[in-house]
Amino acid sequence: MRLHIDISSEAESKLKERAAAQGKDPTTYASEIVEEVVSRPSLDEILAPLRREFEESGMSDDQLLEQILAAQTEYRKQP
């Protein structure tokens, strides 16, 4: 697939610098970056099981916050 995107001159400069540092032309480097990013799961996909578990637990937002703060406090007590 061919794709045309407009980027700022700053982004273009950084892209060229990073591509050169990798010994690649900017088009190949940009293509690799796009491939890498779209192959990763989205934040929503990562969080979906946690959200589902939270909804199924029947816990309130306040109860969850209390648990998080308590865990944070315990963690900070560790040497």
Side-chain angles (χ1 to χ4, degrees), residues 59 62-72:
M59 188 181 302
D62 289 338
Q63 290 170 321
L64 177 61
L65 180 59
E66 286 176 23
Q67 281 193 354
I68 291 170
L69 294 175
Q72 182 182 43

Side-chain angles (χ1 to χ4, degrees), residues 50-60 63-64 67:
L50 295 172
R51 288 181 176 138
R52 195 170 32 257
E53 187 178 323
F54 174 69
E55 288 174 8
E56 291 171 358
S57 76
M59 188 181 302
S60 71
Q63 290 170 321
L64 177 61
Q67 281 193 354

Side-chain angles (χ1 to χ4, degrees), residues 3-68:
L3 177 67
H4 174 85
I5 59 170
D6 294 316
I7 60 175
S8 69
S9 58
E10 290 176 9
E12 180 182 3
S13 294
K14 288 180 183 178
L15 178 67
K16 287 179 179 178
E17 287 174 20
R18 292 179 184 180
Q22 296 286 322
K24 300 175 182 177
D25 67 276
T27 302
T28 300
Y29 184 69
S31 177
E32 290 173 357
I33 292 170
V34 170
E35 291 282 345
E36 180 184 332
V37 169
V38 299
S39 67
R40 293 182 204 154
S42 69
L43 184 57
D44 282 339
E45 292 169 328
I46 293 169
L47 294 177
L50 295 172
R51 288 181 176 138
R52 195 170 32 257
E53 187 178 323
F54 174 69
E55 288 174 8
E56 291 171 358
S57 76
M59 188 181 302
S60 71
D61 290 347
D62 289 338
Q63 290 170 321
L64 177 61
L65 180 59
E66 286 176 23
Q67 281 193 354
I68 291 170

Side-chain angles (χ1 to χ4, degrees), residues 73-79:
T73 300
E74 286 301 312
Y75 177 78
R76 288 180 175 165
K77 288 180 183 177
Q78 296 177 4

